[in-house]
Amino acid sequence: MRNLKLLINPLNDENPITVQVLGICSALAVTVQLKPAIVMSLSVVVVTAFSNLIISFGRNTIPPRIRIIVQLVVVAFLVIVVDQILKAYVYDVSKKLSVFVGLIITNCIIMGRLEAFAMGNKPWESFLDGIGNGAGYGLILIALGTLRELFGSGSLLGYQVIPQVVYEQGYMDNGMMILPPMALITVGIIIWVQRAYNQKLFEK
Amino acid sequence: MENLFDLFVRNVFIENMIFAYFLGMCSYLAVSKTVKTAVGLGIAVIFVVIVTVPVNWLMENFLLKSGALSWLGPSFESVDLSFLSFLLFIAVIAAMVQLLEMVIEKFAPALYNALGIFLPLIAVNCSVLGAALFMQEREYGTIVEATVYGFGAGFGWALAIVVLAAIREKLKYSNVPAPLRGLGLAFILTGLLAIAFMGFSGIKV
């Protein structure tokens, strides 16, 4: 039951992006299209889950004074592995993500969960917490990617969704959705909608 | 000289870390509630970026880039260590932040107290690592250019956080719909600011 909660909670009540305000940077930059958003979500799930697991195994032996450097090295190691795999199998997406794969290292979700959870909990639970938080991040990323690609270019995953007939009637893609500022405004609106349905999240 | 000034202005206004690349957003949104703390964090970031970008430039050009190790002798000419750059850059940043913290504590205790908890947190501020990675990607030719780039990037970040903090201080007096209060509105505001900053694009100094 508790384990299930670890997986489910980060999807809504403790969502890393909309509630904990962690890991925003990459969420905004890679969501112009759906495909990079999905690849990025999967990479983050893998890195959070395994870094949580590794740090949790070592939580009693890592000296507290140098723990940040130890955590960063573990995360950097995992990110290098993910980066090399992406370069080998999905080169075009890896090119689009550019520096943002590297920036997973400083993605605050990972450091935040390591500090807040993995340093004080057992490996299996930390692993689940990592998957849950990665998934909560992915959920918002995929929602953003879908909205921006659908309204910005009229397609999903590169396939045209809005039929040609609609364009002939005078419909136009909203070019603003592709530009960076609309990513911020879209997240703002997602937060607005989420909080309207979930009143415990109100800020005074 | 004009070249350097152009580089600086471009990185403050046109390629602003926050409004164009969204780097360092987490602390940007979390620490922008009052102007005073925002100024403190802004100065700390400028400080760290100015130090780490040139150091990472040296790392890149004398250690990591393919052919960078040729000063060790002809047999090292084909060595390419660039896949290690994430690890080395973040290690340099973490070490520099730790070092800066000690130096500031010893020689400028007033500044140290003002910066407080923000200084160690900068190690995980994405704009610092982001600046290092952009420096690598854009292949700046000299260390001076790299330093000016670092200063521009840090200054742009500081400017952005102070602007947002000032607006949020004023917003305390307005009546905002309850679900939008706080974070939601901060996002939308940043979006509007970013649209305004897009007006700078294409300007040549």
Side-chain angles (χ1 to χ4, degrees):
Chain A
M1 191 59 220
R2 188 167 168 259
N3 283 352
L4 189 69
K5 242 187 179 154
L6 287 177
L7 273 176
I8 303 290
N9 254 359
L11 295 184
N12 185 5
D13 287 355
E14 283 168 30
N15 189 290
I17 294 187
T18 60
V19 181
Q20 301 178 53
V21 208
L22 296 176
I24 316 272
C25 330
S26 51
L28 302 171
V30 300
T31 51
V32 177
Q33 286 167 329
L34 190 52
K35 198 175 168 198
I38 292 174
V39 173
M40 186 72 181
S41 318
L42 290 178
S43 320
V44 170
V45 171
V46 170
V47 176
T48 32
F50 285 96
S51 60
N52 258 2
L53 186 69
I54 294 171
I55 292 295
S56 175
F57 270 122
R59 69 186 189 282
N60 296 325
T61 44
I62 298 171
R65 302 193 79 181
I66 59 157
R67 67 180 192 287
I68 294 200
I69 294 184
V70 175
Q71 289 164 357
L72 282 176
V73 170
V74 169
V75 177
F77 157 73
L78 285 167
V79 169
I80 291 177
V81 172
V82 168
D83 188 42
Q84 298 290 327
I85 291 176
L86 289 183
K87 273 197 186 127
Y89 292 103
V90 278
Y91 188 73
D92 54 321
V93 179
S94 147
K95 210 74 213 154
K96 246 180 225 149
L97 293 173
S98 77
V99 296
F100 290 96
V101 177
L103 289 173
I104 296 179
I105 299 172
T106 49
N107 192 317
C108 347
I109 293 182
I110 296 170
M111 287 297 285
R113 293 326 290 176
L114 289 178
E115 279 284 292
F117 201 89
M119 288 302 283
N121 285 283
K122 293 204 185 84
W124 175 239
E125 281 144 22
S126 306
F127 187 68
L128 290 178
D129 181 78
I131 291 186
N133 276 283
Y137 168 87
L139 192 71
I140 301 291
L141 229 68
I142 289 169
L144 263 176
T146 312
L147 284 173
R148 288 182 73 190
E149 195 178 346
L150 185 61
F151 292 111
S153 9
S155 57
L156 280 178
L157 288 172
Y159 299 104
Q160 194 170 357
V161 172
I162 296 175
Q164 196 61 40
V165 189
V166 184
Y167 284 103
E168 280 158 16
Q169 297 293 319
Y171 174 82
M172 281 204 308
D173 288 328
N174 183 353
M176 280 295 283
M177 289 303 273
I178 302 177
L179 298 174
M182 274 313 281
L184 290 158
I185 296 178
T186 316
V187 178
I189 291 169
I190 289 179
I191 293 176
W192 190 358
V193 171
Q194 186 199 9
R195 291 192 181 178
Y197 284 102
N198 196 342
Q199 311 213 334
K200 6 175 220 240
L201 300 177
F202 281 4
E203 286 175 48
K204 46 166 182 31
Chain B
M1 195 62 212
E2 277 156 39
N3 203 345
L4 293 180
F5 185 69
D6 181 42
L7 187 67
F8 175 75
V9 172
R10 197 168 63 234
N11 281 297
V12 173
F13 292 106
I14 302 167
E15 292 172 0
N16 188 293
M17 274 288 173
I18 295 276
F19 298 132
Y21 296 113
F22 311 124
L23 294 177
M25 279 308 256
C26 315
S27 38
Y28 175 76
L29 290 167
V31 188
S32 59
K33 282 184 184 127
T34 56
V35 172
K36 213 177 148 210
T37 50
V39 171
L41 185 64
I43 292 174
V45 167
I46 296 180
F47 233 68
V48 172
V49 178
I50 286 189
V51 176
T52 55
V53 170
V55 174
N56 279 329
W57 186 88
L58 292 175
M59 290 284 172
E60 163 76 6
N61 281 280
F62 292 103
L63 209 57
L64 294 172
K65 212 160 67 175
S66 103
L69 279 172
S70 53
W71 53 272
L72 275 178
S75 53
F76 286 92
E77 246 162 34
S78 58
V79 180
D80 181 1
L81 291 177
S82 49
F83 64 93
L84 281 179
S85 48
F86 296 157
L87 198 61
L88 206 64
F89 285 173
I90 196 69
V92 164
I93 290 168
M96 277 296 149
V97 168
Q98 199 98 63
L99 201 70
L100 263 179
E101 195 184 352
M102 288 191 264
V103 170
I104 296 179
E105 188 180 10
K106 182 115 175 61
F107 295 106
L111 182 65
Y112 180 78
N113 286 333
L115 294 179
I117 178 80
F118 301 134
L119 208 49
L121 277 183
I122 292 172
V124 287
N125 185 324
C126 353
S127 60
V128 179
L129 183 61
L133 291 175
F134 278 130
M135 177 272 299
Q136 183 189 31
E137 205 176 80
R138 295 175 191 166
E139 295 172 349
Y140 287 115
T142 63
I143 194 165
V144 181
E145 267 179 53
T147 315
V148 171
Y149 164 69
F151 182 48
F155 190 80
W157 196 91
L159 187 78
I161 195 172
V162 173
V163 169
L164 184 69
I167 298 177
R168 283 180 82 171
E169 270 193 0
K170 290 284 175 208
L171 272 179
K172 275 182 207 144
Y173 307 107
S174 20
N175 187 12
V176 180
L180 198 55
R181 256 171 230 171
L183 192 60
L185 197 58
F187 267 107
I188 294 180
L189 270 176
T190 315
L192 294 176
L193 280 171
I195 291 179
F197 264 68
M198 273 170 58
F200 288 117
S201 61
I203 289 180
K204 279 244 178 246
V205 186

